[in-house]
Amino acid sequence: MHSSSPHTLNLGVLAHIDAGKTSLTERLLHTAGVIDEVGRVDDGNTRTDSLALERQRGITIKSAVVSFAVEGVTVNLIDTPGHPDFIAEVERVLSVLDGAVLVVSAVEGVQAQTRVLLRTLRRLRIPTLVFVNKTDRRGARQEGVLRHIAERLTPDVVPMGTVGALGTRAARFTPFTAADADSGGFTARLAELLTAHDDTLLAAYVDDPASLSYDRLRAELARQTRRALVHPVFFGSAATGLGVPELLDGIRELLPAPAGDAEGPVSGSVFKVERGPAGEKIAYVRVFSGTIRTRDRLDIGTRDQPGTGSGTGTGEGKVTGISVFDRGADERRPEVRAGQIGRLWGLGDVRIGDVIGVPRTGVDPAAHFFAPPTLETVVTPVRPADRGALHLALTRLAEQDPLIGLRQDPVRREVSVSLYGEVQKEVVQATLAEDFGLDVAFRETTTICVERVVGTGAAFEIIDKEPNPFLATVGLRVGPAPVGSGVEFRLGVELGSMPYAFFRAVEETVRETLLQGVHGWRVPDCAVTMTHAGYWPRQSHAHGTFDKSMSSTAGDFRNLTPLVLMDALRRAGTAVHEPMHRFRLDVPADTFAAVLPVLTRLRAVPHTPTTSGTSYRLEGDIPARQVHTLEQVLPGLTRGEGEWESAFDHYEPVRGGTVPTRERTDHDPLHRKDYLLRVVRRTDGAGRGNAVGG
């Protein structure tokens, strides 16, 4: 048995929408001999866009895995969505990649999503090649796009050839070779780029430039590409196949085969979950170490799901079936090995983002590469009788997309779903209709805010003392914590002062209660210290029967904690913060005067504008809830020439006007009388036991 799976490369294809990413995937499969005919997005017959909705709209919504072989290397190619509303799909894929191809249009150049993607790829040190597509289209540019890439993405790029007859159907790509590299200045340009990242190479170049031969530079290019320091750029056309064989050679030569010991401990990551024909769950797993076999029992570590309140835990599942992507096919196999991607049956409780087996060293399974969704809307069934079916269907959708959070409101019997944008809302609506036969309507989309603790507040209630009706003593102190630190629960009392199960009940309830602060928004960062604890021990009568009315239970602590916590939170005070986008806007100079007052009206805060030729560039911050409005009016203000990009950056306190609130979905501990009527209350018993703790 080999120590690792030989020659497997897990490759992502990423791009801004309409750059030609899915078309390139089709062309790669055709060039590698996997398919006989290239599918077209416009015709709805591509291999990776299998959803009916994807075919109708001509966009990728769900990631898809296809496999092909090139000169002994099995490439698992993962096609990802380009539309920013589906960034959660991209996030999942990034965690399992060995390398990536970033597609840029030779006509449009670098676009908003291109910048977001390469910034993330570089931060994660994922080796990335750039493919400049559409070189056969009118308006295609070579040097202009290279300059655009260097200015807006990274200067660490090197073209791997030149394009002749640019912008015509006769366009041709000529790769640089050892024979003609010097004449085109390729060797000098390569040496300049590579020596910037390697002092030894720089010293050799300074001592004797001739010592850096083309072969040595090419080997160094591969080494630095694999370390994600530099990015080779290929040119071509997915429509005609131009430059695709050279790109395949680059994939084989410049991107790394994954390391991984098939004999080591099992370690994998779930990046996609789908349902089979019978409704069974199928988990897509990238195996980093070890070998997973049919009938194996696997440990499953669950990462936090944003907005749901579910914490990290572990479970177990038994594998009942395996298929592996290998050399152009998805085949049933008895095992999946390190470096490979497999589809696993039998893991009924598995979710996207789960860790299979041992977590990878140095990798936080709960880390998110992209911002969480900042919008939400209430989904209602057109037919009231479908309410239960809608709940089940939305739960199915949420399990396939961990960044879509569901918020249940049992009082109003409503469900809210968090979103990235309006297109995603349309997709959710169409998916519910097509896959589940449900017609739904949406309320107005609202912004998801957060609450931040501004001071320190404390509260406590003592067992058997008014107005506390529960057999528990709970005291809590709440204070602010740094942004991004999460909720920290501390004990200010002795751990042995009462049973551990009661402490655990308090901590779990604290975390759950903080999903809805004083104004109804989640409190993401704060420190909570338990200052008082007390309980009545288990009481029994002479004949040995347990007297529930005289004995504290975990339920007492779960019911009392929200009252104490919200009292402390009110005393500490919270401020509502709204999500802000960092934006970048390029407009023709003569339209700037019309754009500026609109930005001001939408509460954007632009920085000092800069000029570039005949255009103005503005950068700044804008409330997330205003982005959609601006995107709608911008084309009319700029003759369609305005270039806008924005992404979530931070939260800021809501200024001016009414503080936004969110309807509560819990028993509302802010209103004590109503809360006590809603929770299960203990009736007064005939006797009282002795209190313990303090």
Side-chain angles (χ1 to χ4, degrees), residues 212-286:
L212 297 187
S213 65
Y214 174 81
D215 289 341
R216 181 176 177 185
L217 287 172
R218 191 85 186 205
E220 181 64 22
L221 175 65
R223 190 181 75 84
Q224 291 197 19
T225 301
R226 289 168 185 164
R227 293 175 60 204
L229 297 173
V230 299
H231 306 287
V233 181
F234 296 83
F235 291 82
S237 167
T240 65
L242 172 69
V244 174
E246 290 80 8
L247 176 63
L248 275 172
D249 289 341
I251 289 169
R252 180 182 51 80
E253 175 196 357
L254 301 170
L255 295 180
D261 183 4
E263 305 298 331
V266 169
S267 177
S269 176
V270 179
F271 67 94
K272 178 175 179 175
V273 173
E274 66 183 17
R275 293 274 178 171
E280 74 280 16
K281 272 191 185 178
I282 306 170
Y284 285 64
V285 177
R286 160 70 196 270

Coordinates of all heavy atoms in Angstrom, one line a residue, residues 212-286:
L212 N 21.7 32.7 -13.8 CA 20.2 32.3 -13.7 C 19.7 31.9 -15.0 O 19.1 32.7 -15.8 CB 19.4 33.4 -13.1 CG 19.8 33.9 -11.7 CD1 18.8 34.9 -11.2 CD2 19.9 32.7 -10.7
S213 N 19.9 30.6 -15.3 CA 19.5 30.1 -16.6 C 18.0 30.0 -16.7 O 17.3 30.1 -15.6 CB 20.1 28.7 -16.9 OG 19.5 27.8 -15.9
Y214 N 17.4 29.9 -17.9 CA 16.0 29.7 -18.0 C 15.5 28.5 -17.3 O 14.4 28.6 -16.6 CB 15.6 29.6 -19.5 CG 14.2 29.3 -19.8 CD1 13.2 30.3 -19.8 CD2 13.7 28.0 -20.0 CE1 11.9 30.0 -20.0 CE2 12.4 27.7 -20.2 CZ 11.5 28.7 -20.2 OH 10.1 28.5 -20.4
D215 N 16.2 27.4 -17.3 CA 15.7 26.2 -16.6 C 15.7 26.4 -15.1 O 14.8 26.0 -14.4 CB 16.7 25.0 -16.9 CG 16.5 24.5 -18.4 OD1 15.4 24.8 -19.0 OD2 17.3 23.8 -18.9
R216 N 16.7 27.1 -14.6 CA 16.8 27.4 -13.1 C 15.6 28.3 -12.7 O 15.0 28.1 -11.7 CB 18.1 28.0 -12.7 CG 18.2 28.2 -11.2 CD 19.5 28.8 -10.8 NE 19.6 29.1 -9.4 CZ 20.6 29.6 -8.7 NH1 21.7 29.9 -9.4 NH2 20.5 29.9 -7.4
L217 N 15.4 29.3 -13.6 CA 14.3 30.2 -13.3 C 12.9 29.6 -13.3 O 12.0 29.8 -12.5 CB 14.3 31.4 -14.2 CG 15.5 32.5 -14.0 CD1 15.5 33.5 -15.1 CD2 15.3 33.2 -12.6
R218 N 12.8 28.7 -14.3 CA 11.5 27.9 -14.4 C 11.3 27.1 -13.2 O 10.1 27.0 -12.7 CB 11.5 27.1 -15.7 CG 10.2 26.5 -16.1 CD 9.4 27.5 -16.9 NE 8.0 27.0 -17.2 CZ 7.3 27.4 -18.2 NH1 7.7 28.3 -19.0 NH2 6.1 26.9 -18.3
A219 N 12.3 26.4 -12.7 CA 12.2 25.6 -11.5 C 11.8 26.4 -10.3 O 11.0 26.1 -9.5 CB 13.5 24.8 -11.3
E220 N 12.5 27.6 -10.2 CA 12.2 28.5 -9.1 C 10.8 29.1 -9.2 O 10.1 29.3 -8.2 CB 13.2 29.7 -9.1 CG 13.0 30.7 -8.0 CD 13.3 30.1 -6.6 OE1 13.9 29.0 -6.5 OE2 12.7 30.6 -5.6
L221 N 10.3 29.3 -10.5 CA 8.9 29.8 -10.7 C 7.9 28.8 -10.1 O 7.0 29.1 -9.4 CB 8.7 30.0 -12.2 CG 7.2 30.4 -12.5 CD1 6.8 31.7 -11.9 CD2 7.1 30.4 -14.0
A222 N 8.2 27.5 -10.4 CA 7.3 26.4 -9.8 C 7.3 26.4 -8.3 O 6.3 26.3 -7.7 CB 7.7 25.1 -10.4
R223 N 8.5 26.6 -7.7 CA 8.7 26.6 -6.3 C 7.9 27.7 -5.6 O 7.2 27.6 -4.7 CB 10.1 26.6 -5.9 CG 10.4 26.3 -4.4 CD 11.9 26.4 -4.1 NE 12.3 27.8 -4.0 CZ 12.2 28.6 -3.0 NH1 11.7 28.1 -1.9 NH2 12.7 29.8 -3.0
Q224 N 8.1 28.9 -6.2 CA 7.4 30.1 -5.6 C 5.9 30.1 -5.9 O 5.1 30.6 -5.1 CB 8.1 31.4 -6.1 CG 9.5 31.6 -5.6 CD 10.0 33.0 -5.8 OE1 9.2 34.0 -6.0 NE2 11.3 33.2 -5.7
T225 N 5.5 29.6 -7.0 CA 4.1 29.5 -7.3 C 3.4 28.5 -6.3 O 2.3 28.8 -5.8 CB 3.8 28.9 -8.7 OG1 4.4 29.8 -9.7 CG2 2.3 28.8 -9.0
R226 N 4.1 27.4 -6.0 CA 3.5 26.5 -5.0 C 3.5 27.1 -3.6 O 2.7 26.6 -2.8 CB 4.4 25.2 -5.0 CG 4.2 24.4 -6.3 CD 5.2 23.3 -6.5 NE 5.0 22.6 -7.7 CZ 5.9 21.8 -8.3 NH1 7.1 21.6 -7.7 NH2 5.6 21.3 -9.5
R227 N 4.3 28.1 -3.4 CA 4.2 28.7 -2.0 C 3.3 30.0 -2.1 O 3.3 30.7 -1.1 CB 5.7 29.2 -1.6 CG 6.6 28.0 -1.4 CD 8.0 28.5 -1.1 NE 8.1 29.4 0.1 CZ 9.0 30.3 0.3 NH1 10.0 30.5 -0.6 NH2 9.0 31.0 1.4
A228 N 2.6 30.1 -3.2 CA 1.6 31.3 -3.4 C 2.3 32.6 -3.3 O 1.7 33.6 -2.9 CB 0.5 31.1 -2.4
L229 N 3.6 32.7 -3.7 CA 4.3 34.0 -3.7 C 4.1 34.7 -5.0 O 4.1 35.9 -5.0 CB 5.8 33.7 -3.4 CG 6.2 33.1 -2.1 CD1 7.6 32.8 -2.0 CD2 5.8 34.1 -0.9
V230 N 4.0 34.0 -6.1 CA 3.9 34.6 -7.4 C 2.7 33.9 -8.2 O 2.4 32.7 -7.8 CB 5.2 34.5 -8.3 CG1 6.3 35.3 -7.5 CG2 5.6 33.1 -8.5
H231 N 2.2 34.5 -9.2 CA 1.1 34.0 -10.0 C 1.3 34.1 -11.5 O 1.2 35.1 -12.1 CB -0.2 34.8 -9.6 CG -0.4 34.8 -8.1 ND1 -0.9 33.8 -7.4 CD2 -0.2 35.8 -7.2 CE1 -1.0 34.1 -6.1 NE2 -0.6 35.4 -6.0
P232 N 1.7 32.9 -12.1 CA 1.8 32.9 -13.6 C 0.5 33.3 -14.2 O -0.6 32.8 -13.8 CB 2.2 31.5 -13.9 CG 2.8 31.0 -12.6 CD 2.0 31.7 -11.5
V233 N 0.6 34.0 -15.4 CA -0.6 34.4 -16.1 C -0.6 33.8 -17.5 O 0.3 34.0 -18.2 CB -0.7 36.0 -16.2 CG1 -2.0 36.4 -16.9 CG2 -0.7 36.6 -14.8
F234 N -1.7 33.1 -17.8 CA -1.9 32.5 -19.1 C -3.0 33.2 -19.8 O -3.9 33.8 -19.2 CB -2.3 31.0 -19.0 CG -1.2 30.1 -18.4 CD1 -1.0 30.1 -17.0 CD2 -0.3 29.4 -19.2 CE1 0.0 29.3 -16.4 CE2 0.7 28.7 -18.6 CZ 0.9 28.6 -17.2
F235 N -3.0 33.2 -21.1 CA -4.0 33.9 -21.9 C -4.7 32.9 -22.8 O -4.0 31.9 -23.3 CB -3.3 35.0 -22.8 CG -2.8 36.2 -22.0 CD1 -1.6 36.1 -21.4 CD2 -3.6 37.3 -21.8 CE1 -1.1 37.2 -20.6 CE2 -3.1 38.4 -21.1 CZ -1.9 38.3 -20.5
G236 N -5.9 33.1 -23.1 CA -6.6 32.2 -24.1 C -8.1 32.5 -24.2 O -8.6 33.6 -23.9
S237 N -8.8 31.5 -24.6 CA -10.3 31.6 -24.8 C -10.9 30.3 -24.5 O -10.6 29.3 -25.2 CB -10.6 32.0 -26.2 OG -12.0 31.9 -26.5
A238 N -11.8 30.3 -23.5 CA -12.5 29.0 -23.2 C -13.4 28.7 -24.3 O -13.7 27.5 -24.6 CB -13.3 29.2 -21.9
A239 N -13.9 29.7 -25.1 CA -14.9 29.4 -26.2 C -14.2 28.6 -27.3 O -14.8 27.7 -27.9 CB -15.4 30.7 -26.7
T240 N -12.9 29.0 -27.6 CA -12.3 28.3 -28.8 C -11.2 27.3 -28.4 O -10.8 26.5 -29.2 CB -11.5 29.4 -29.6 OG1 -10.5 29.9 -28.8 CG2 -12.5 30.5 -30.1
G241 N -10.9 27.3 -27.1 CA -9.8 26.3 -26.6 C -8.4 27.0 -26.7 O -7.5 26.3 -26.3
L242 N -8.3 28.2 -27.1 CA -7.0 28.9 -27.2 C -6.4 28.9 -25.8 O -7.0 29.4 -24.9 CB -7.2 30.3 -27.8 CG -6.0 31.2 -27.8 CD1 -5.0 30.7 -28.8 CD2 -6.5 32.6 -28.1
G243 N -5.1 28.5 -25.7 CA -4.4 28.6 -24.5 C -4.7 27.6 -23.4 O -4.0 27.5 -22.4
V244 N -5.7 26.8 -23.7 CA -6.1 25.8 -22.6 C -5.1 24.7 -22.5 O -4.8 24.3 -21.4 CB -7.5 25.3 -22.9 CG1 -7.9 24.2 -21.9 CG2 -8.5 26.4 -22.8
P245 N -4.5 24.1 -23.6 CA -3.5 23.1 -23.4 C -2.3 23.6 -22.6 O -1.7 22.9 -21.8 CB -3.1 22.8 -24.9 CG -4.3 23.1 -25.7 CD -4.9 24.3 -25.0
E246 N -1.9 24.9 -22.9 CA -0.8 25.5 -22.1 C -1.2 25.7 -20.6 O -0.3 25.5 -19.8 CB -0.4 26.9 -22.7 CG 0.2 26.8 -24.1 CD -0.8 26.5 -25.3 OE1 -2.0 26.6 -25.0 OE2 -0.3 26.3 -26.4
L247 N -2.4 26.0 -20.4 CA -2.9 26.1 -19.0 C -2.8 24.8 -18.3 O -2.4 24.7 -17.2 CB -4.3 26.7 -18.9 CG -4.9 26.8 -17.5 CD1 -4.2 27.7 -16.6 CD2 -6.4 27.2 -17.6
L248 N -3.2 23.7 -19.0 CA -3.1 22.4 -18.4 C -1.7 22.0 -18.1 O -1.4 21.4 -17.1 CB -3.7 21.4 -19.4 CG -5.2 21.1 -19.4 CD1 -5.7 20.2 -20.5 CD2 -5.6 20.5 -18.0
D249 N -0.8 22.4 -19.0 CA 0.6 22.1 -18.7 C 1.1 22.9 -17.5 O 1.8 22.4 -16.7 CB 1.5 22.5 -19.9 CG 1.4 21.6 -21.1 OD1 0.9 20.5 -20.9 OD2 1.7 22.0 -22.2
G250 N 0.6 24.1 -17.4 CA 0.9 24.9 -16.2 C 0.4 24.3 -14.9 O 1.0 24.3 -13.9
I251 N -0.8 23.8 -15.0 CA -1.5 23.2 -13.8 C -0.6 22.0 -13.4 O -0.3 21.8 -12.2 CB -2.9 22.7 -14.1 CG1 -3.8 23.9 -14.3 CG2 -3.4 21.8 -13.1 CD1 -5.2 23.6 -14.8
R252 N -0.2 21.2 -14.3 CA 0.6 20.0 -14.0 C 2.0 20.4 -13.5 O 2.5 19.8 -12.5 CB 0.8 19.1 -15.3 CG 1.6 17.8 -15.1 CD 1.7 17.1 -16.4 NE 2.1 18.0 -17.5 CZ 3.4 18.3 -17.7 NH1 4.3 17.9 -16.9 NH2 3.7 19.1 -18.7
E253 N 2.6 21.4 -14.1 CA 4.0 21.7 -13.8 C 4.1 22.6 -12.5 O 5.1 22.5 -11.7 CB 4.7 22.5 -15.0 CG 6.1 23.0 -14.7 CD 6.5 24.0 -15.7 OE1 5.8 24.3 -16.7 OE2 7.6 24.5 -15.5
L254 N 3.2 23.6 -12.4 CA 3.4 24.6 -11.4 C 2.6 24.5 -10.1 O 3.0 25.1 -9.1 CB 3.0 26.0 -12.0 CG 3.8 26.4 -13.3 CD1 3.2 27.6 -14.0 CD2 5.3 26.6 -12.9
L255 N 1.6 23.7 -10.1 CA 0.8 23.5 -8.9 C 1.2 22.2 -8.1 O 1.6 21.2 -8.8 CB -0.7 23.5 -9.2 CG -1.2 24.8 -9.8 CD1 -2.7 24.7 -10.1 CD2 -1.0 26.0 -8.8
P256 N 1.1 22.2 -6.8 CA 1.6 21.1 -6.0 C 0.7 19.9 -5.9 O -0.5 20.1 -5.9 CB 1.8 21.8 -4.6 CG 0.7 22.8 -4.6 CD 0.5 23.3 -6.0
A257 N 1.3 18.8 -5.9 CA 0.5 17.6 -5.5 C 0.3 17.6 -4.0 O 1.3 18.0 -3.3 CB 1.2 16.3 -5.9
P258 N -0.8 17.3 -3.4 CA -1.0 17.4 -2.0 C -0.2 16.5 -1.2 O 0.0 15.3 -1.6 CB -2.5 17.2 -1.8 CG -2.9 16.3 -3.0 CD -2.0 16.7 -4.1
A259 N 0.3 16.9 0.0 CA 0.9 16.0 0.9 C -0.2 15.4 1.7 O -1.2 15.9 2.0 CB 1.9 16.8 1.8
G260 N 0.1 14.2 2.2 CA -0.9 13.5 3.0 C -0.5 12.0 3.2 O -0.2 11.4 2.2
D261 N -0.5 11.5 4.4 CA -0.1 10.2 4.7 C -1.4 9.3 4.8 O -2.2 9.5 5.7 CB 0.7 10.1 6.0 CG 1.2 8.7 6.3 OD1 1.0 7.8 5.5 OD2 1.8 8.5 7.4
A262 N -1.5 8.4 3.8 CA -2.7 7.5 3.8 C -2.7 6.5 5.0 O -3.7 5.9 5.3 CB -2.8 6.7 2.5
E263 N -1.5 6.4 5.6 CA -1.4 5.5 6.8 C -1.6 6.2 8.1 O -1.6 5.6 9.2 CB 0.0 4.8 6.8 CG 0.4 4.1 5.5 CD -0.6 2.9 5.2 OE1 -1.1 2.3 6.2 OE2 -0.8 2.6 4.0
G264 N -1.7 7.5 8.0 CA -1.8 8.3 9.2 C -3.2 8.3 9.8 O -4.1 7.7 9.3
P265 N -3.4 9.1 10.9 CA -4.8 9.2 11.4 C -5.7 9.9 10.4 O -5.3 10.8 9.7 CB -4.6 10.1 12.7 CG -3.3 10.8 12.4 CD -2.4 10.0 11.6
V266 N -7.0 9.5 10.5 CA -8.0 10.1 9.6 C -8.2 11.5 9.9 O -8.5 11.9 11.0 CB -9.3 9.3 9.6 CG1 -10.4 10.0 8.9 CG2 -9.1 7.9 9.0
S267 N -8.1 12.4 8.9 CA -8.4 13.8 9.0 C -9.0 14.3 7.7 O -8.5 14.1 6.6 CB -7.2 14.6 9.3 OG -7.5 16.0 9.4
G268 N -10.2 14.8 7.8 CA -10.9 15.3 6.6 C -11.8 16.4 6.9 O -12.0 16.8 8.0
S269 N -12.4 17.0 5.8 CA -13.3 18.2 5.9 C -14.4 18.0 5.0 O -14.3 17.7 3.8 CB -12.5 19.5 5.6 OG -13.3 20.6 5.6
V270 N -15.6 18.3 5.5 CA -16.9 18.2 4.7 C -17.1 19.6 4.1 O -17.3 20.6 4.8 CB -18.1 17.8 5.6 CG1 -19.4 17.8 4.8 CG2 -17.8 16.5 6.3
F271 N -17.1 19.7 2.8 CA -17.3 21.0 2.1 C -18.6 21.1 1.3 O -19.0 22.1 0.8 CB -16.1 21.3 1.2 CG -16.0 20.4 0.0 CD1 -16.5 20.8 -1.2 CD2 -15.2 19.3 0.1 CE1 -16.4 20.0 -2.4 CE2 -15.1 18.4 -1.1 CZ -15.7 18.8 -2.3
K272 N -19.3 20.0 1.3 CA -20.6 20.0 0.6 C -21.5 18.9 1.1 O -21.0 17.8 1.4 CB -20.4 19.9 -0.9 CG -21.7 19.9 -1.8 CD -21.4 19.9 -3.3 CE -22.7 19.9 -4.1 NZ -22.5 20.0 -5.5
V273 N -22.8 19.1 1.2 CA -23.7 18.1 1.6 C -24.9 18.1 0.6 O -25.4 19.2 0.3 CB -24.3 18.2 3.0 CG1 -25.4 17.2 3.3 CG2 -23.1 18.1 4.0
E274 N -25.3 17.0 0.1 CA -26.5 16.9 -0.8 C -27.3 15.8 -0.4 O -26.9 14.9 0.4 CB -26.0 16.9 -2.3 CG -25.3 15.6 -2.7 CD -24.9 15.6 -4.1 OE1 -24.8 16.6 -4.7 OE2 -24.6 14.5 -4.6
R275 N -28.5 15.7 -1.0 CA -29.4 14.6 -0.7 C -29.5 13.7 -1.9 O -29.6 14.2 -3.0 CB -30.8 15.2 -0.3 CG -30.9 15.9 1.0 CD -31.1 15.0 2.2 NE -31.1 15.8 3.4 CZ -31.4 15.2 4.6 NH1 -31.8 14.0 4.6 NH2 -31.4 15.9 5.7
G276 N -29.5 12.4 -1.7 CA -29.7 11.5 -2.8 C -31.1 11.3 -3.2 O -32.0 11.9 -2.6
P277 N -31.4 10.4 -4.1 CA -32.8 10.2 -4.6 C -33.8 9.8 -3.5 O -34.9 10.1 -3.6 CB -32.6 9.1 -5.7 CG -31.2 9.2 -6.1 CD -30.4 9.6 -4.9
A278 N -33.3 9.1 -2.5 CA -34.1 8.6 -1.5 C -34.1 9.5 -0.2 O -34.7 9.2 0.8 CB -33.7 7.2 -1.0
G279 N -33.5 10.7 -0.4 CA -33.4 11.7 0.7 C -32.3 11.5 1.6 O -32.1 12.2 2.6
E280 N -31.4 10.5 1.3 CA -30.3 10.3 2.2 C -29.2 11.3 2.0 O -29.0 11.9 0.9 CB -29.7 8.9 1.9 CG -28.8 8.7 0.6 CD -29.7 8.6 -0.7 OE1 -30.9 8.9 -0.6 OE2 -29.1 8.2 -1.7
K281 N -28.5 11.6 3.1 CA -27.4 12.6 3.0 C -26.2 12.0 2.4 O -25.8 10.9 2.7 CB -27.0 13.1 4.4 CG -27.8 14.2 4.9 CD -27.2 14.8 6.2 CE -28.1 15.9 6.8 NZ -27.5 16.4 8.1
I282 N -25.5 12.8 1.5 CA -24.3 12.4 0.9 C -23.3 13.6 1.2 O -23.5 14.7 0.9 CB -24.4 12.2 -0.6 CG1 -25.5 11.2 -0.9 CG2 -23.1 11.8 -1.2 CD1 -25.8 11.2 -2.4
A283 N -22.2 13.2 1.9 CA -21.2 14.2 2.3 C -20.0 14.2 1.4 O -19.4 13.1 1.1 CB -20.7 13.9 3.8
Y284 N -19.6 15.4 0.9 CA -18.4 15.5 0.1 C -17.3 15.8 1.1 O -17.3 16.8 1.8 CB -18.5 16.6 -0.9 CG -19.4 16.4 -2.1 CD1 -20.8 16.1 -2.0 CD2 -18.9 16.4 -3.4 CE1 -21.6 15.9 -3.1 CE2 -19.7 16.1 -4.5 CZ -21.0 15.9 -4.4 OH -21.8 15.6 -5.4
V285 N -16.3 14.9 1.1 CA -15.2 15.0 2.1 C -13.8 15.1 1.4 O -13.5 14.2 0.5 CB -15.2 13.8 3.0 CG1 -14.0 13.9 4.0 CG2 -16.5 13.8 3.8
R286 N -13.0 16.1 1.7 CA -11.6 16.1 1.3 C -10.8 15.4 2.4 O -10.9 15.8 3.5 CB -11.1 17.5 1.1 CG -9.6 17.7 1.1 CD -8.9 17.1 -0.1 NE -7.5 16.9 0.1 CZ -6.6 17.8 -0.2 NH1 -6.9 19.0 -0.7 NH2 -5.3 17.6 0.1

